[in-house]
Amino acid sequence: MANGRPGLIFQHASFEGPGAVAGAITAAGHSFEVVRLDQGEPIPDGGRLEAMPGLVVLGGPMSVHEADRYPWLAPGLHWHADTFDLPEGSTRLAQNEAYPNQAFVVGGAAYGLQFHVEVTASLVAHWGPHLPPGVFVRAPDIAHISRSGAGLLRRFIALAER
């Protein structure tokens, strides 16, 4: 986000906001705009996107199979019950037993993450009603994930600034 222009964050659900991503961006001295796709805001045209110093695309509970209900969905998007193959020319960066493609990079500047680095206690509180039955996130886990995510975000922004 080094060119002085604000980066963009695409938000797909009211309860899936930028969380710690917003704090990491502003702490690094950069600015951003949130595009609320869930509220019908349009995706900026290609020229504006090409001039963006950074783009963060958040997730949500929708599935790639619900494009009729969520017209802004693009192929590859997935919920944790969905999975995907790596894009051609990409490199896997992280995996686990449940999903082999937790993080990847395409070229030197496009990263994809399955896991949540944006977690804050406030954000998780908004997730509650939208989690599957029987699923909850314990307070100690939220604190651990928040610390880990904040550190990863700081390092990622420093890398992106190079």
Side-chain angles (χ1 to χ4, degrees), residues 25-85:
I25 292 171
T26 56
H30 304 295
S31 63
F32 63 90
E33 297 174 14
V34 177
V35 178
R36 295 292 305 270
L37 300 174
D38 61 317
Q39 294 181 355
E41 292 183 13
I43 293 175
D45 66 32
R48 182 167 177 219
L49 283 178
E50 289 178 16
M52 284 298 108
L55 173 65
V56 175
V57 181
L58 302 173
M62 68 288 294
S63 168
V64 71
H65 307 290
E66 297 178 296
D68 56 328
R69 289 182 57 199
Y70 305 102
W72 62 87
L73 293 178
L77 175 90
H78 66 93
W79 177 240
H80 292 280
D82 295 333
T83 191
F84 60 95
D85 293 326

Side-chain angles (χ1 to χ4, degrees), residues 7 17 22 31 46 49 54 65 87 91 94 101-102 111 128 131 140 156 159:
S31 63
L49 283 178
H65 307 290
T91 302
N101 301 320
Q102 288 289 328
Y111 291 82
L131 293 173
F156 179 79
L159 177 66

Side-chain angles (χ1 to χ4, degrees), residues 64-159:
V64 71
H65 307 290
E66 297 178 296
D68 56 328
R69 289 182 57 199
Y70 305 102
W72 62 87
L73 293 178
L77 175 90
H78 66 93
W79 177 240
H80 292 280
D82 295 333
T83 191
F84 60 95
D85 293 326
L86 290 177
E88 186 174 324
S90 65
T91 302
R92 178 182 296 127
L93 300 175
Q95 63 185 8
N96 67 16
E97 291 179 18
Y99 297 99
N101 301 320
Q102 288 289 328
F104 64 93
V105 63
V106 179
Y111 291 82
L113 304 176
Q114 161 98 6
F115 53 90
H116 294 274
V117 296
E118 77 280 15
V119 171
T120 62
S122 173
L123 189 58
V124 171
H126 287 91
W127 288 355
H130 307 281
L131 293 173
V135 173
F136 63 94
V137 185
R138 299 176 321 139
D141 294 333
I142 294 170
H144 175 73
I145 295 166
S146 294
R147 282 191 307 275
S148 299
L152 184 126
L153 287 166
R154 280 192 304 274
R155 292 187 302 276
F156 179 79
I157 289 172
L159 177 66

